[in-house]
């Protein structure tokens, strides 16, 4: 169900939303967009042997401090019984502008979140995501699948729209 201005017209709940029972020993990684007043989100992903990626869970947080979020993520990693190899975080999490002490990223790292700075190439990143949403070369499923438990992502991803002034970017 596409609409005027929708950015990711490739997304289809029928194709991309799948519940997969994956072995705990497959590599896990995360992606994190910080938010305090607006929701922040940590996506839990599984790197599949065929090169695909399955987003198996999400943690949405709001009005929580970096130490609170770090404790939450460390506890969830333990509860899931997995090893989180790395979480790629928004580069803005490393900025110290206007504050004294450590950045958000430094706090998360100090408290056990295996955080690494993601590349901040918005348009390139969106195009890579677009490619992951297309059918895999084998044709049996897309390279990116999303568990139904990722309600926040499943609500926001299809609602993203083009920027009216920079059509290759999101608003």
């Amino acid at each position: 169900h596409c609409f005027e201005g929708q950015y990711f017209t490739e997304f289809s709940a029928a194709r991309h939303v799948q519940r997969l029972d994956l072995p705990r020993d497959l590599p896990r990684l995360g992606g994190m967009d910080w938010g305090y007043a607006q929701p922040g989100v940590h996506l839990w992903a599984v790197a599949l042997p065929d090169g695909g990626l399955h987003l198996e869970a999400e943690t949405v947080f709001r009005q929580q401090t970096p130490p609170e979020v770090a404790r939450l993520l460390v506890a969830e990693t333990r509860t899931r019984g997995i090893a989180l190899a790395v979480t790629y975080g928004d580069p803005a999490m490393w900025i110290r502008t206007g504050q004294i002490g450590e950045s958000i990223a430094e706090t998360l790292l100090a408290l056990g979140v295996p955080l690494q700075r993601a590349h901040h190439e918005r348009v390139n990143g969106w195009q890579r995501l677009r490619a992951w949403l297309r059918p895999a070369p084998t044709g049996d499923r897309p390279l990116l699948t999303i568990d139904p438990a990722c309600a926040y992502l499943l609500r926001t991803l299809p609602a993203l729209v083009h920027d009216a002034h920079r059509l290759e970017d999101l608003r």
Side-chain angles (χ1 to χ4, degrees):
H1 304 316
C2 296
F3 60 87
E4 180 82 25
Q6 183 178 16
Y7 196 83
F8 292 112
T9 57
E10 299 83 359
F11 177 78
S12 163
R15 277 193 322 271
H16 295 98
V17 180
Q18 299 180 20
R19 186 175 309 279
L20 303 178
D21 185 25
L22 299 168
R24 293 281 167 219
D25 63 345
L26 288 176
R28 269 30 184 213
L29 54 134
M32 183 179 212
D33 189 20
W34 182 261
Y36 183 82
Q38 294 292 322
V41 65
H42 181 279
L43 296 173
W44 304 80
V46 182
L48 302 175
D50 67 358
L53 190 69
H54 179 68
L55 301 178
E56 67 180 346
E58 66 184 9
T59 300
V60 179
F61 50 92
R62 187 174 185 166
Q63 296 185 344
Q64 290 183 280
T65 65
E68 291 169 331
V69 171
R71 285 191 288 275
L72 174 66
L73 296 178
V74 168
E76 285 197 28
T77 301
R78 195 172 304 122
T79 298
R80 292 176 188 282
I82 58 170
L84 188 59
V86 65
T87 288
Y88 295 98
D90 181 343
M93 294 167 57
W94 275 261
I95 296 172
R96 292 187 186 182
T97 306
Q99 70 179 15
I100 298 171
E102 58 191 18
S103 67
I104 292 168
E106 290 168 324
T107 300
L108 295 172
L109 280 161
L111 295 174
V113 177
L115 196 61
Q116 183 175 326
R117 186 186 319 241
H119 295 289
H120 206 240
E121 302 169 4
R122 290 174 53 91
V123 173
N124 183 40
W126 302 141
Q127 294 310 312
R128 292 184 71 200
L129 179 55
R130 188 179 305 285
W132 280 64
L133 290 169
R134 296 224 165 120
T138 58
D140 58 342
R141 65 166 175 75
L143 286 172
L144 178 70
T145 54
I146 305 168
D147 191 277
C150 297
Y152 182 81
L153 178 62
L154 291 171
R155 186 177 73 251
T156 57
L157 181 66
L160 296 171
V161 296
H162 288 272
D163 184 302
H165 303 290
R166 295 170 300 168
L167 292 179
E168 296 299 322
D169 203 355
L170 290 171
R171 180 168 21 150

